[in-house]
Amino acid sequence: MTLEPVIGLEIHVQLSTRTKMFCGCELSFGEEPNTRTCPVCLGMPGTLPTANAQAIHYGLMMGMALGSEIAPRSIFHRKNYFYPDLAKGYQISQYDIPLCSGGRLGDVRLHRIHLEEDAAKLVHVGQSGRIHGSDASIVDYNRGGTPLAEIVTEPDLHSAEQAREWLTLLRETLRQLGVSDVNMEEGSLRCDANISVRPAGTSELGTKTELKNMNSFRFLEKGINAEIERQTALIEAGETVVQETLHFDPVSGGLSPLRSKEEAHDYRYFPEPDLVPVAPTEEMLAAARAALPELPAARAERYEREWSLPADTARLFAYEPAWGDYFERVEGEPRTVANWVTELRARADSPAAVESAALTKLVALVEARTVTAGNARVVLDRLVADGGDPAEIVEREDLGAMGDSGELAGIIARVIEDNADVVERIRGGNTKAMGALVGPIMRETKGKADGGEVNRLIREQLGL
Amino acid sequence: MSDLLELTAAQAAARVRAGELDPADLWHGYRERAAADDLNAFTWVSDRDEPEAIDGDAPLGGVPIGVKDLFCTAGIPSQAGSRILEGFRPPYTATAVERLTAAGAPVLGKTNQDEFAMGSSTENSAYGPTLNPWDRTRVPGGSSGGSAAAVAAGSVPWSIGTDTGGSIRQPAALCGIVGLKPTYGAISRYGMIAFASSLDQAGPFTRDTTDAALLLAAMAGKDPCDSTSLGLPEPVRLPEATDLKGVRLGVPEELTGEGIEPGVLEAFRATLDLARELGATVETTHLPHAPQGLAAYYLIAPAECSSNLARYDGVRYGHRADAPDLLTMYTRTREEGFGAEVKRRVMLGTYALSSGYYDAYYGRAQKVRTLIARDFDYSWERFDFIVSPTAPGVAFELGAKTADPLAMYLNDFCTVPMSLAGIPAISIPNGLADGLPVGFQIAGPAFSENRILDAAHALEQAIGFDGSAGRA
Amino acid sequence: MLSRDQVLHVARLARLELTDEEIERFGSELSNVLDYIETIEQLGDLGDIPPTSHVVEVENVLRADEPRPSLPVEQALASAPEAALGGFRVPSPGAG
């Protein structure tokens, strides 16, 4: 029996607003502890939350970019539990009426997107103040209240690798939207995975476990694989998977259950009475729509449509917008330009390697047949290595295409003369044998002859 | 000096604005009285010899005010009647109080209250009960008992409290003064220590309706710090009406029959007669779901409070118990810091919200709330105001109802429906029963404060209640 | 109506360390209150009635994303029962 993994992801994205979700404190980036706090995010008596308009705006943008339905009226809920990183003893989040429902990115359907506030940071310290053998913790509320968007997918992923690839796509999409730094190492992108296995070809879901705290793409993939292995082994041994929350230790590769918080799961959700519903107006929706950049899928489609680029080239430029932007800056016949941008990409990490003006000139030289494709590649190598002007490089290194003078005809005539046996094979019907003539001709012309022209002249001279 | 203290706040303010009275004299006079308070009405009295200076034309004329301890006042103890906040001095001031001081009413003292506004007698204060100036063996009502007693005793000319299920109106009735609960959202809740967020409202305690209007005008307004605040759509007018011509009063049977003490009912009916003489029509009506109001209230308020009080955990401020581990720190801090009634309501609320019980309890109570609001909506088609006794009885003896929480809760059954519907209601003193004050409640549609104040003013003049016995 | 176990469960959810006396007393007091509250059952099926989650019928009260001054750290920590290393010290969650 083959088992197939079924994976759903729960992603938390810190939004790059200026202030917190429910108060006016500026977001913190490594500031001294408790220097970005106020009575509201410290949960002081009598204080009240106020919802950040920009966070709502970003939430709407995300929903639109990901094809979700925007709720005509969504509300905030309180999620009640006790923990020192939760100043009020409850988190303001959204429960049964989230900002966005449904949606899709690539092959994965989305279940929902909602807004909530981040918890504070707990640093464990020992009695002596050193960080080990914790007797105590120090709470820093700087992070508490940072706006978060929680994205929950449907269980549409079926391998760790696929999960990693999809998360990469999500990250790129969110980055292009400009709503978050989406940096896993810094914590602005966090991902938990829900994993189960089932016999391949069936549709019922098995018991799932939740895998938390994987803070890099690599660990995400390793962790998911480890858990799939663990569940597979259990089931093959005739045992059952227990629903639990696990922590993946990337160093040891091991999975361990997180301390069960028992009653912590009774969050006693109820509508947040201190905030009023969010009912996006036409203006709010229009503003979100207007703020959307052209996203990958739409951009790829446009490249195919407007410039007849082949599908995979269009996709490449759409999903790597630095290259897409560069492609749009270089002038010339679009497909030729696409070709040479692709050539550059094979040689350099970033389009910054060669100024678009320089590539424009190179493309023009190729189109004017001033330089052959082969030699143009040499020019490109030089541009990447040393920069400079394409025309000057051609001049300096004598890479220019052979002109219309009889020089080429003369060289061809000589080569034909020197290779009578090849000529005989050609006349005998073996046209492929022409290659045996082209080689020496190219060598003699030092790549400056246009290949098409060479073939034409050979045929002409042989009377074919 | 004693003449000075007989002036209503409006009268005193007028003299200040006319240059006839130095607000510092008011401050000295009242501070002396507050310091001499033997009712335990105050938890803190200002130690300033001189009040802060005010503008000559400040609307509240430098008339000093008492503030329920539930309102955060920067640098001044704000304890909400609880041990868990003993000594807590917030770095911010409640918006309502800021508006009062900006309008020229300096804070003279913080007043005693039932812990976290939970109670109807002020016997739940961690700082001792407050006594009723009319009879010191009796309670002043609650939860804003200190604010009410202080005004009734003449220790401050006016004060503010909070009303969640009747905590301004009921003590006003028991102390023979005016107490107003505005429309929900009229006054900002920012800085007002939260009990039940969807019900809490600040409001004035005063000697008469004119003073109440002055305080309402100063405090009302939309506040960017409180998303649920709306302010009032029209400016507050000082009431001037002297009759009730054309006013239609509805008397709900559910709030004026069983459960009301005879003396209270007698005073109530006498006031209805007066109203008719003033030109009002009086008809009985129904609020069919009012009988379930108390039950709904005692689900919604505890549920919200159980969440609002979760922040009192010993981590960032307030009391913290000695404990070897985090869980014990939480449970012991809250066990030591909270009184019995608070614990009861936190437990009740936690239960009502807990898994498996939400729909039957909190969810259902919120539906009952809708039904009660609709009852009032239908009433406004036939009536301008709904009237009732404010409280079912006069001030009861200290300790009389502490043995049975339910008996205490029943004090609220006339006031709770208005809180659930979010509509404004005032209590004015309308007589005595067995020598103790009785209150008359007038409730109106949302944002009808001006009309309520006018009607109350007309009645107040006709009733001519003499509150001086409280101030003796 | 409320068993001792239920009382203990709720006390745990609410983080209250009740004495035995309180467990018993609250158990009976709360049961009485719950019995009274059962009167809302008399209203029968309320299926179609929408719950009032917000008394105030207003929407979209949003705050502009403009920074406001935070508290100086001394003020943030001023009321802390135990401050250390610039933060609020608490017993470690993992302990005990």
Side-chain angles (χ1 to χ4, degrees):
Chain A
M1 165 185 69
T2 22
L3 293 172
E4 91 172 328
V6 176
I7 303 158
L9 297 179
E10 214 173 276
I11 300 118
H12 286 90
V13 174
Q14 274 185 355
L15 300 179
S16 51
T17 53
R18 292 181 69 194
T19 64
K20 294 187 178 183
M21 187 70 218
F22 297 114
C23 70
C25 287
E26 265 189 274
L27 296 194
S28 166
F29 300 97
E31 316 299 322
E32 287 299 302
N34 296 298
T35 52
R36 292 285 165 88
T37 67
C38 73
V40 176
C41 58
L42 285 173
M44 290 188 141
T47 57
L48 299 170
T50 50
N52 186 329
Q54 187 74 346
I56 309 281
H57 175 67
Y58 282 169
L60 294 176
M61 283 174 65
M62 288 169 68
M64 288 175 175
L66 298 171
S68 308
E69 260 186 53
I70 310 289
R73 189 175 178 275
S74 68
I75 64 174
F76 292 100
H77 265 75
R78 290 191 187 178
K79 180 178 181 182
N80 298 281
Y81 62 98
F82 287 85
Y83 207 64
D85 66 2
L86 202 62
K88 299 183 292 297
Y90 55 87
Q91 178 198 32
I92 301 179
S93 176
Q94 294 191 291
Y95 182 54
D96 55 356
I97 315 178
L99 188 69
C100 311
S101 315
R104 180 182 206 99
L105 181 68
D107 297 326
V108 178
R109 294 166 302 159
L110 298 184
H111 179 53
R112 56 186 274 155
I113 306 173
H114 75 251
L115 296 174
E116 59 185 27
E117 53 177 346
D118 207 351
K121 270 211 177 105
L122 232 58
V123 177
H124 300 291
V125 296
Q127 283 287 11
S128 59
R130 292 203 309 273
I131 301 178
H132 78 92
S134 328
D135 294 311
S137 303
I138 308 288
V139 195
D140 170 13
Y141 290 95
N142 282 353
R143 192 184 76 176
T146 301
L148 291 180
E150 179 176 323
I151 303 170
V152 182
T153 75
E154 298 288 0
D156 288 351
L157 295 157
H158 297 290
S159 76
E161 195 192 331
Q162 191 191 7
R164 181 187 177 156
E165 268 176 32
W166 185 82
L167 191 63
T168 307
L169 175 59
L170 177 70
R171 185 183 65 169
E172 183 53 32
T173 307
L174 295 176
R175 206 188 55 74
Q176 287 191 36
L177 278 180
V179 299
S180 170
D181 293 337
V182 275
N183 183 318
M184 260 182 119
E185 280 75 19
E186 286 175 3
S188 48
L189 174 68
R190 312 204 278 258
C191 187
D192 300 332
N194 291 319
I195 302 156
S196 64
V197 296
R198 66 182 175 200
T202 61
S203 57
E204 241 187 70
L205 293 170
T207 307
K208 67 175 180 200
T209 59
E210 192 184 358
L211 199 53
K212 292 179 93 78
N213 298 331
M214 293 165 293
N215 56 15
S216 77
F217 283 89
R218 206 156 59 84
F219 295 155
L220 178 82
E221 195 176 346
K222 282 179 81 172
I224 293 177
N225 272 327
E227 176 57 9
I228 291 170
E229 267 176 51
R230 187 189 74 90
Q231 287 195 20
T232 304
L234 271 180
I235 293 185
E236 283 173 353
E239 292 173 45
T240 50
V241 174
V242 169
Q243 177 165 3
E244 56 185 339
T245 302
L246 298 166
H247 168 83
F248 174 66
D249 181 348
V251 174
S252 68
L255 296 152
S256 49
L258 278 179
R259 255 174 51 86
S260 99
K261 292 187 197 166
E262 309 162 51
E263 305 87 354
H265 293 300
D266 188 352
Y267 294 123
R268 307 185 293 287
Y269 283 101
F270 70 99
E272 170 59 83
D274 292 332
L275 293 170
V276 299
V278 175
T281 60
E282 250 322 298
E283 271 157 354
M284 288 163 73
L285 295 171
R289 230 172 269 127
L292 294 179
E294 189 183 33
L295 291 171
R299 193 173 204 176
E301 190 270 339
R302 177 165 69 86
Y303 286 166
E304 284 187 63
R305 187 174 29 88
E306 273 186 35
W307 290 308
S308 306
L309 295 194
D312 49 359
T313 309
R315 202 190 133 91
L316 188 77
F317 288 166
Y319 282 73
E320 296 184 27
W323 291 104
D325 292 342
Y326 185 75
F327 159 73
E328 296 193 43
R329 283 201 299 276
V330 175
E331 292 164 33
E333 197 280 316
R335 281 189 291 191
T336 313
V337 169
N339 179 48
W340 286 101
V341 171
T342 307
E343 291 272 355
L344 174 58
R345 187 172 165 281
R347 290 163 169 74
D349 286 332
S350 142
V354 173
E355 280 178 32
S356 61
L359 199 70
T360 297
K361 285 187 189 168
L362 182 61
V363 168
L365 291 175
V366 170
E367 291 194 302
R369 294 168 173 250
T370 309
V371 65
T372 63
N375 277 355
R377 288 191 189 95
V378 176
V379 175
L380 190 56
D381 287 337
R382 300 287 182 269
L383 285 173
V384 171
D386 309 314
D389 175 72
E392 278 173 22
I393 295 170
V394 167
E395 173 90 29
R396 188 175 69 229
E397 300 192 26
D398 188 27
L399 296 168
M402 208 152 253
D404 234 349
S405 65
E407 198 191 337
L408 180 60
I411 293 173
I412 291 174
R414 268 203 311 282
V415 168
I416 286 176
E417 230 186 274
D418 290 344
N419 292 277
D421 50 335
V422 178
V423 170
E424 222 179 285
R425 293 211 310 271
I426 293 170
R427 289 199 194 284
N430 186 353
T431 39
K432 275 205 204 161
M434 275 209 334
L437 292 179
V438 171
I441 291 167
M442 286 313 218
R443 272 196 300 279
E444 275 222 37
T445 60
K446 295 176 206 146
K448 299 197 293 188
D450 177 72
E453 184 68 4
V454 164
N455 281 329
R456 189 185 71 78
L457 283 171
I458 293 175
R459 286 177 192 275
E460 197 184 271
Q461 292 192 16
L462 294 182
L464 295 171
Chain B
M1 186 58 85
S2 59
D3 287 341
L4 208 57
L5 306 187
E6 282 303 306
L7 295 173
T8 66
Q11 290 165 344
R15 291 206 195 167
V16 167
R17 279 197 300 278
E20 294 163 12
L21 178 54
D22 184 352
D25 288 339
L26 283 170
W27 178 264
H28 296 144
Y30 278 111
R31 198 162 80 86
E32 214 179 291
R33 289 209 47 133
D37 168 63
D38 65 341
L39 303 170
N40 197 32
F42 293 95
T43 54
W44 176 89
V45 176
S46 173
D47 54 7
R48 292 179 68 114
D49 289 327
E50 303 300 318
E52 281 180 43
I54 54 148
D55 284 337
D57 54 358
L60 305 183
V63 181
I65 193 160
V67 170
K68 184 175 183 178
D69 209 18
L70 200 60
F71 292 91
C72 286
T73 39
I76 294 171
S78 305
Q79 302 164 134
S82 180
R83 284 267 167 252
I84 216 164
L85 282 177
E86 190 168 4
F88 175 65
R89 289 172 192 255
Y92 50 94
T93 296
T95 300
V97 176
E98 277 186 347
R99 287 185 186 237
L100 287 174
T101 49
V107 175
L108 181 62
K110 302 293 294 290
T111 59
N112 197 19
Q113 54 165 99
D114 280 304
E115 187 179 1
F116 285 107
M118 300 182 208
S120 311
S121 66
T122 309
E123 291 172 290
N124 292 328
S125 171
Y127 301 100
T130 295
L131 312 178
N132 191 318
W134 289 78
D135 178 341
R136 281 160 169 69
T137 67
R138 292 175 184 265
V139 302
S143 62
S144 314
S147 279
V151 171
S155 307
V156 276
W158 50 13
S159 67
I160 59 169
T162 65
D163 191 310
T164 305
S167 292
I168 288 177
R169 292 163 284 160
Q170 184 252 22
L174 268 50
C175 290
I177 58 174
V178 173
L180 169 70
K181 182 199 87 67
T183 307
Y184 182 85
I187 298 177
S188 168
R189 290 183 297 117
Y190 186 82
M192 210 170 91
I193 297 175
F195 160 26
S197 315
S198 73
L199 297 159
D200 294 342
Q201 266 298 279
F205 285 103
T206 56
R207 290 188 203 162
D208 68 15
T209 53
T210 303
D211 285 356
L214 273 175
L215 287 184
L216 179 64
M219 289 192 287
K222 202 161 137 84
D223 180 11
C225 293
D226 176 1
S227 302
T228 61
S229 72
L230 300 164
L232 291 170
E234 48 182 42
V236 177
R237 278 183 284 109
L238 294 186
E240 286 171 347
T242 49
D243 64 66
L244 296 173
K245 293 209 189 79
V247 172
R248 303 162 298 165
L249 300 179
V251 179
E253 286 189 8
E254 294 82 3
L255 304 183
T256 51
E258 197 187 311
I260 310 284
E261 281 175 13
V264 171
L265 215 43
E266 203 185 300
F268 179 68
R269 292 199 182 108
T271 306
L272 291 181
D273 288 336
L274 254 182
R276 286 187 192 93
E277 284 171 38
L278 291 172
T281 54
V282 179
E283 267 181 59
T284 53
T285 182
H286 285 285
L287 291 172
H289 301 94
Q292 280 79 33
L294 211 55
Y297 174 81
Y298 278 102
L299 279 172
I300 295 169
E304 292 180 5
C305 103
S306 71
S307 178
N308 285 328
L309 268 59
R311 64 189 64 197
Y312 304 106
D313 56 11
V315 175
R316 292 163 304 287
Y317 47 80
H319 172 65
R320 176 192 288 201
D322 282 325
D325 62 78
L326 184 68
L327 178 61
T328 311
M329 189 194 87
Y330 281 151
T331 57
R332 194 169 293 167
T333 294
R334 292 159 65 79
E335 165 71 8
E336 289 175 2
F338 289 149
E341 184 58 34
V342 167
K343 283 185 226 175
R344 263 192 293 270
R345 295 203 198 187
V346 164
M347 301 257 296
L348 186 54
T350 303
Y351 183 68
L353 290 173
S354 66
S355 169
Y357 294 103
Y358 181 97
D359 287 332
Y361 288 129
Y362 186 77
R364 195 172 170 84
Q366 291 287 45
K367 292 185 175 194
V368 172
R369 187 172 189 172
T370 303
L371 290 172
I372 290 173
R374 286 182 185 175
D375 285 353
F376 279 111
D377 286 339
Y378 299 144
S379 304
W380 308 136
E381 290 167 17
R382 291 169 54 208
F383 302 105
D384 296 303
F385 306 110
I386 294 289
V387 295
S388 79
T390 307
V394 295
F396 44 91
E397 285 175 4
L398 290 155
K401 304 203 182 186
T402 47
D404 181 7
L406 200 52
M408 190 67 84
Y409 297 165
L410 290 169
N411 280 300
D412 296 334
F413 84 88
C414 297
T415 48
V416 149
M418 297 76 183
S419 304
L420 289 169
I423 58 173
I426 196 169
S427 177
I428 57 169
N430 66 326
L432 299 174
D434 297 326
L436 294 164
V438 176
F440 183 82
Q441 176 175 234
I442 306 170
F447 306 116
S448 63
E449 277 83 344
N450 279 333
R451 287 187 282 129
I452 290 176
L453 284 164
D454 260 332
H457 179 80
L459 270 174
E460 168 184 80
Q461 306 242 295
I463 293 167
F465 183 82
D466 179 7
S468 56
R471 294 196 287 281
Chain C
M1 192 177 153
L2 276 186
S3 70
R4 186 188 160 84
D5 276 346
Q6 282 176 302
V7 174
L8 285 173
H9 175 72
V10 173
R12 170 79 174 218
L13 278 179
R15 296 298 186 267
L16 291 169
E17 184 186 74
L18 300 181
T19 64
D20 283 330
E21 187 268 326
E22 280 174 321
I23 293 167
E24 214 176 293
R25 183 161 47 90
F26 288 161
S28 76
E29 284 170 348
L30 290 176
S31 295
N32 282 345
V33 173
L34 285 169
D35 281 342
Y36 176 79
I37 283 170
E38 291 291 306
T39 59
I40 62 174
E41 292 305 307
Q42 290 163 11
L43 293 172
D45 181 19
L46 297 180
D48 287 338
I49 312 292
T52 301
S53 61
H54 294 92
V55 173
V56 157
E57 299 216 345
V58 79
E59 295 166 339
N60 297 333
V61 178
L62 302 176
R63 171 181 50 88
D65 192 25
E66 302 288 338
R68 299 191 50 79
S70 293
L71 285 177
V73 63
E74 311 79 49
Q75 268 193 33
L77 296 174
S79 302
E82 251 195 270
L85 301 175
F88 299 85
R89 191 170 182 281
V90 294
S92 197

